[in-house]
Amino acid sequence: MSQPSQAPPQANPRRWLALVFIGLAQLMIVLDITIVNIALPSAQKDLGISDGDRQWVITAYTLAFGSLLLLGGRIADYTGRKRTFLIGLLGFAGASALGGAASGFEMLLAARALQGAFAALLAPSALSLLAVNFTEPRERAKAFGIFGAIAAGGGAIGLVVGGLLTEYLDWRWCLYVNVPIAVVAALSWSVLPTDTRAEGRARFDIPGVVLAVCGLVAVVYACSEAESEGWDSRLVTGLLILGAVLLFAFVMVERNVARPLLPPRVVGDRTRGSAYLAVGLSVVGMFAMFLFLTYYMQIVKGYSALLTGVAFLPMTGAVLIGAGGVASRLIPKVPPRLLVAPGLLIAATGVVLLVPLDVDSSYAAGVLPAELLVGFGMGLVMAPSMNYATHGVGAGDAGVASATVNTAQQIGGSIGTAMLNTIATSATSDYMASHARQMTPQTAKAGLVEGFSHAFVVSSSILVGAAVVVALLMNTPRPVREPGTEGATPLPAHMG
């Protein structure tokens, strides 16, 4: 059966206005990952949350988000991406309002889990709407350049906004702020393209859903517990083994069911698979930058929450230049690995510059150059990766392909954060033990920085390794426009 023409999305005269609303929704999702980090100390004090439980305010969101993304993508494919997009927006707004009004830890935890669940509907819907709305190569490159800049730089904006709201209003506004953003984004109903759905009756791969959700929950939960329990604890080891077994069983099931949750053809393509890998590994460097520099600037240098957020703004500017200024112009002209692999190496160089950081390093000499390099590199990585993550998939798989790249981002960030944090805390503990006799506040700060340096070494190594793997795997040539397909998304030669 012939596929429906892609002309309607291309002919949408208001597609650029639609991009504004889609980008706003994506910004809300990315903001929520970092904005709550800034608000957490105030929320912990206000609600009486223990040090052992405070991590769950973050983990409840990432667990629900990361584990339900594939299901959210399939729901979008079967019920319509436009409809799922709006349901996700309104649900996310309601959950945010609930969290802002939380009277205790349990209520806040439930709200954060609900935010993650609705984000799992919203994120793949937003990306797949973008994919079907922009099909002309140059317009598609520009649109994904903007979207990639939001995905890579929104976290830094979240730190600034979180600092402003926490310092001048109240931590609750870090959650309430999502409500007006969602309401404005919901006005997109009239400018979004007409809904398309996967052919046939909606039949969900229930065994695949259960195995994927349980497997991802086990892995993310294990990584979140590694910080307090240690990677060699029975709990963490058992959860990682369980997660690996469940995810292996998921792969086996997907190869043998008629309507799989994640069709092997989606991830089996070298271009899309490399894009997912690039996103998943690149956020290790990005999250390391956010996590450790936030602590460095606030604890070691004594910056306020607001000043810390402002200090990340140059990184956001570098992301915008890399994604919107450079990558969007080159995506239609060069093979994707000529953007992604160098972007990863540039980001790795930026992280390497942080290794010699010490207590007395200045912001201008010690932090700023690293921010600019990491931001620019991430811009080069995210824009083409988001573009090629949905490249060449059929209309019925657009939602799940979009969900897969978001899953890679969430799971990669969760695993990377837990792993690097464990490395940092272990190095700090060793430093403290060796300097126990001459312990001073300055020594304690030096111990923290020592831990950060160890984590930056590992983070930069991961980014370099990712660059090598992407350069070898992503064999897609430069985009070509075949005769008679003016306006269609160009196909790589190996997919023709």
Side-chain angles (χ1 to χ4, degrees):
M1 183 177 294
S2 62
Q3 292 290 329
S5 172
Q6 291 187 358
Q10 180 199 347
N12 179 9
R14 292 179 289 183
R15 55 192 176 277
W16 291 106
L17 181 58
L19 172 62
V20 173
F21 293 118
I22 293 170
L24 197 60
Q26 177 67 13
L27 179 62
M28 183 178 68
I29 295 171
V30 178
L31 281 177
D32 215 67
I33 296 172
T34 54
I35 196 171
V36 175
N37 288 343
I38 294 290
L40 188 54
S42 299
Q44 180 181 359
K45 182 179 179 181
D46 191 19
L47 300 180
I49 303 171
S50 70
D51 287 344
D53 287 338
R54 67 185 176 187
Q55 66 160 321
W56 285 105
V57 178
I58 306 299
T59 306
Y61 179 81
T62 57
L63 272 174
F65 192 8
S67 62
L68 294 174
L69 267 164
L70 290 176
L71 177 59
R74 258 306 174 226
I75 291 174
D77 285 333
Y78 279 124
T79 63
R81 291 150 204 130
K82 183 176 177 179
R83 179 181 302 176
T84 308
F85 179 75
L86 292 170
I87 292 172
L89 272 176
L90 297 178
F92 196 92
S96 299
L98 180 66
S103 57
F105 173 60
E106 293 78 11
M107 185 173 174
L108 180 59
L109 204 63
R112 290 288 287 162
L114 279 174
Q115 278 187 309
F118 282 109
L121 283 178
L122 182 56
S125 303
L127 186 56
S128 54
L129 278 171
L130 191 66
V132 300
N133 213 27
F134 291 92
T135 55
E136 197 280 322
R138 292 187 181 276
E139 288 193 350
R140 181 181 173 94
K142 187 179 296 183
F144 274 92
I146 295 169
F147 194 85
I150 293 171
I157 297 173
L159 293 172
V160 179
V161 174
L164 280 168
L165 294 175
T166 302
E167 194 157 321
Y168 293 108
L169 290 174
D170 184 75
W171 68 266
R172 297 178 184 275
W173 280 97
C174 290
L175 292 163
Y176 286 143
V177 72
N178 292 321
V179 177
I181 295 176
V183 170
V184 172
L187 299 176
S188 62
W189 176 263
S190 62
V191 299
L192 291 177
T194 304
D195 253 339
T196 57
R197 307 179 188 179
E199 295 182 2
R201 196 163 57 91
R203 293 171 56 189
F204 293 102
D205 169 22
I206 301 303
V209 170
V210 173
L211 289 170
V213 170
C214 293
L216 291 174
V217 165
V219 171
V220 177
Y221 182 38
C223 293
S224 68
E225 289 296 293
E227 180 182 350
S228 57
E229 301 292 331
W231 287 99
D232 57 349
S233 70
R234 289 186 178 181
L235 174 64
V236 173
T237 304
L239 285 170
L240 288 175
I241 293 173
L242 175 62
V245 170
L246 291 173
L247 292 175
F248 178 77
F250 169 72
V251 172
M252 294 297 102
V253 167
E254 297 308 280
R255 295 174 62 182
N256 295 289
V257 295
R259 294 180 180 270
L261 177 67
L262 178 58
R265 61 181 176 271
V266 171
V267 294
D269 175 79
R270 286 177 66 167
T271 298
R272 289 192 296 271
S274 299
Y276 303 146
L277 187 65
V279 169
L281 294 178
S282 67
V283 295
V284 174
M286 180 69 84
F287 277 44
M289 175 75 98
F290 284 143
L291 177 66
F292 299 121
L293 283 187
T294 297
Y295 275 95
Y296 175 77
M297 287 189 275
Q298 290 196 41
I299 305 300
V300 177
K301 305 300 288 185
Y303 292 5
S304 67
L306 176 58
L307 185 57
T308 299
V310 171
F312 277 108
L313 282 179
M315 183 176 180
T316 305
V319 169
L320 293 174
I321 294 171
V326 177
S328 64
R329 287 178 168 83
L330 294 180
I331 287 173
K333 301 176 181 178
V334 302
R337 65 177 166 189
L338 291 188
L339 290 173
V340 177
L344 288 165
L345 291 175
I346 292 170
T349 303
V351 176
V352 166
L353 293 181
L354 294 172
V355 174
L357 210 63
D358 60 36
V359 175
D360 298 319
S361 297
S362 68
Y363 171 78
V367 175
L368 182 58
E371 282 191 9
L372 294 175
L373 286 174
V374 172
F376 185 76
M378 287 298 105
L380 294 183
V381 171
M382 285 296 184
S385 294
M386 291 291 184
N387 187 353
Y388 281 87
T390 57
H391 192 84
V393 296
D397 290 332
V400 74
S402 304
T404 303
V405 70
N406 279 283
T407 300
Q409 187 173 20
Q410 289 301 310
I411 301 303
S414 298
I415 293 174
T417 300
M419 178 186 67
L420 294 173
N421 196 55
T422 301
I423 291 168
T425 53
S426 296
T428 296
S429 297
D430 292 343
Y431 184 92
M432 296 299 191
S434 64
H435 292 76
R437 293 185 177 181
Q438 61 259 36
M439 186 58 63
T440 64
Q442 190 77 356
T443 305
K445 291 180 179 179
L448 281 176
V449 177
E450 179 74 10
F452 300 160
S453 294
H454 280 72
F456 289 136
V457 169
V458 176
S459 174
S460 59
S461 300
I462 291 172
L463 290 172
V464 171
V468 173
V469 171
V470 169
L472 293 174
L473 286 182
M474 190 176 269
N475 61 338
T476 314
R478 67 181 296 276
V480 292
R481 198 176 303 178
E482 297 179 4
T485 58
E486 183 71 25
T489 304
L491 287 177
H494 77 283
M495 292 176 62

